[in-house]
């Protein structure tokens, strides 16, 4: 979560810290701002203080926010996705008054690759979904589109086929937008892709056939590394008891710890300032900070003497461990 500057949209607030706002991130924020108590608590952790509360505009597209005089606007609990707007500038009756929006941001995702980094030749009668899964990867429309420049001429397709351990004996360019093209028949006939294809002509799940009959055709596919499910914000940060694992800490409040929830926590604990604010909101205080063990499977944590261990920003999923004491 981040408190935007006066009159700033959440798009601008998130961009200021190198992240992005989406409808999903704003929806994930809502459980932290839909009561007076929770909004006040979050505001204090962000360095602001609510003096009064207004709940009647709970579905306003710039809510939650805080006025310069400390008036805080509380969000409704049940909100439709249409009531979230990252680009909305907070105002008072159309007049800019210095309101500051409370926002939630995701890490900015990299652009999809423009070239195919993981081409694969599927088994006979296998879809690209199956071919990619067989090597622990996934097929998407974007990966199939990235493959096309490598298979849209006879020479290019022949070269790729040879690197994949197959040989084209003849070529057919008459079905270049078919959803199972490019592919190779058992007799070595290779089906060449068109250069200009719309996304509707790509289908990861299509099983290659010949006039509806399975004939052992093998699709040429392109695969991405399997990405984890996008994580939402951490809705329920908790400070565990001494010597307790996160599994135990979450169980103590009737919840559970997962690698995804620890990853969702990380944006709140990967700087001295953020960790300090969160620790204060959890009823403790950091006296000193240590950043050199940022990928330790028990980090972030706080010692009895107030020493706080800060998390690294870029962490692999293998560095999160709910059971670590």
């Amino acid at each position: 979560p981040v408190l935007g500057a006066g009159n700033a949209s959440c798009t601008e607030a998130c961009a200021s810290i190198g992240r992005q706002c989406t409808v999903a991130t704003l929806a994930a924020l809502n459980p932290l701002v839909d009561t007076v108590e929770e909004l006040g608590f979050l505001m204090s952790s962000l360095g602001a203080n609510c003096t009064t509360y207004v709940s009647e505009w709970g579905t306003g597209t710039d809510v939650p926010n805080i006025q310069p005089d400390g008036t805080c606007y509380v969000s409704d609990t049940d909100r439709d996705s249409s009531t979230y707007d990252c680009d909305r500038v907070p105002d008072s009756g159309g007049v800019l008054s210095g309101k500051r929006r409370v926002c939630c941001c995701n890490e900015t995702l990299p652009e999809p690759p423009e070239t195919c980094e993981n081409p694969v030749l599927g088994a006979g009668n296998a879809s690209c979904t199956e071919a990619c899964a067989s090597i622990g990867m996934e097929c998407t429309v974007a990966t199939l589109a990235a493959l096309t420049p490598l298979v849209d001429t006879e020479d290019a397709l022949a070269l790729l086929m040879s690197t994949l351990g197959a040989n084209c004996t003849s070529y057919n360019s008459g079905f270049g937008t078919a959803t199972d093209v490019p592919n190779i028949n058992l007799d070595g006939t290779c089906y060449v892709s068109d250069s200009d294809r719309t996304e509707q002509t790509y289908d990861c799940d299509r099983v290659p056939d010949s006039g509806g009959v399975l004939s052992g055709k093998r699709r040429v596919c392109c695969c991405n590394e399997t990405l984890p499910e996008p994580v939402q914000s951490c809705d329920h940060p908790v400070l565990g008891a001494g010597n307790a694992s996160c599994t135990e800490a979450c169980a103590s409040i009737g919840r559970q710890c997962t690698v995804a929830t620890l990853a969702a926590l990380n944006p709140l604990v990967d700087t001295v300032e953020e960790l300090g604010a969160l620790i204060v909101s959890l009823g403790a205080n950091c006296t000193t900070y240590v950043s050199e063990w940022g990928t330790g499977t028990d980090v972030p944590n706080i010692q009895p003497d107030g020493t706080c261990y800060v998390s690294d920003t870029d962490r692999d999923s293998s560095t999160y461990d709910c059971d670590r004491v």
Side-chain angles (χ1 to χ4, degrees):
V2 61
L3 184 59
N7 304 325
S9 69
C10 283
T11 298
E12 296 168 319
C14 290
S16 72
I17 57 171
R19 302 193 177 187
Q20 63 180 359
C21 172
T22 67
V23 167
T25 61
L26 295 182
L29 173 70
N30 210 55
L32 303 182
V33 293
D34 62 350
T35 68
V36 166
E37 295 78 13
E38 289 172 313
L39 179 57
F41 184 74
L42 181 62
M43 282 295 191
S44 66
S45 73
L46 296 174
N49 288 291
C50 298
T51 55
T52 57
Y53 297 89
V54 175
S55 298
E56 63 184 301
W57 305 104
T59 59
T61 53
D62 61 351
V63 172
N65 63 56
I66 183 173
Q67 293 262 37
D69 66 1
T71 301
C72 286
Y73 287 75
V74 184
S75 180
D76 276 3
T77 298
D78 297 315
R79 294 184 61 164
D80 186 78
S81 60
S82 63
T83 68
Y84 299 112
D85 184 352
C86 290
D87 297 328
R88 171 71 187 275
V89 173
D91 59 63
S92 300
V95 178
L96 298 181
S97 60
K99 273 186 180 177
R100 304 177 67 186
R101 288 188 64 178
V102 186
C103 310
C104 186
C105 315
N106 261 351
E107 293 183 9
T108 301
L109 301 179
E111 291 295 318
E114 294 181 359
T115 59
C116 176
E117 298 178 355
N118 301 294
V120 62
L121 184 60
N125 304 325
S127 68
C128 283
T129 298
E130 295 168 321
C132 291
S134 71
I135 58 171
M137 297 193 178
E138 66 179 357
C139 171
T140 67
V141 167
T143 61
L144 295 182
L147 173 70
T148 290
L150 305 182
V151 293
D152 62 350
T153 68
E154 291 182 6
D155 290 341
L157 181 56
L159 179 62
L160 181 61
M161 282 294 192
S162 67
T163 66
L164 296 175
N167 289 291
C168 298
T169 57
S170 62
Y171 299 91
N172 189 325
S173 300
F175 300 92
T177 59
T179 53
D180 61 350
V181 170
N183 62 55
I184 183 171
N185 255 331
L186 289 178
D187 65 2
T189 302
C190 287
Y191 287 75
V192 185
S193 178
D194 277 3
S195 297
D196 298 316
R197 297 181 61 165
T198 63
E199 66 178 39
Q200 290 81 10
T201 67
Y202 299 111
D203 185 352
C204 290
D205 297 327
R206 170 72 188 275
V207 173
D209 59 62
S210 299
V213 178
L214 297 182
S215 59
K217 271 187 181 177
R218 303 177 68 186
R219 286 189 65 177
V220 186
C221 309
C222 185
C223 314
N224 259 353
E225 294 183 8
T226 302
L227 300 176
E229 289 297 314
V231 293
Q232 302 297 332
S233 69
C234 177
D235 292 338
H236 302 284
V238 61
L239 185 59
N243 303 324
S245 68
C246 281
T247 298
E248 295 167 321
C250 289
S252 71
I253 58 170
R255 300 184 182 270
Q256 63 179 0
C257 172
T258 68
V259 168
T261 61
L262 295 182
L265 173 69
N266 210 56
L268 305 182
V269 293
D270 61 351
T271 67
V272 167
E273 295 78 12
E274 290 171 313
L275 179 57
L278 182 61
I279 289 286
V280 167
S281 74
L282 296 174
N285 288 289
C286 298
T287 55
T288 57
Y289 297 89
V290 175
S291 298
E292 63 185 301
W293 305 105
T295 59
T297 53
D298 60 350
V299 172
N301 63 56
I302 183 172
Q303 296 264 31
D305 66 359
T307 301
C308 287
Y309 287 74
V310 184
S311 179
D312 277 4
T313 299
D314 298 314
R315 294 183 62 163
D316 186 78
S317 61
S318 63
T319 68
Y320 298 113
D321 184 352
C322 290
D323 297 326
R324 170 68 188 276
V325 173

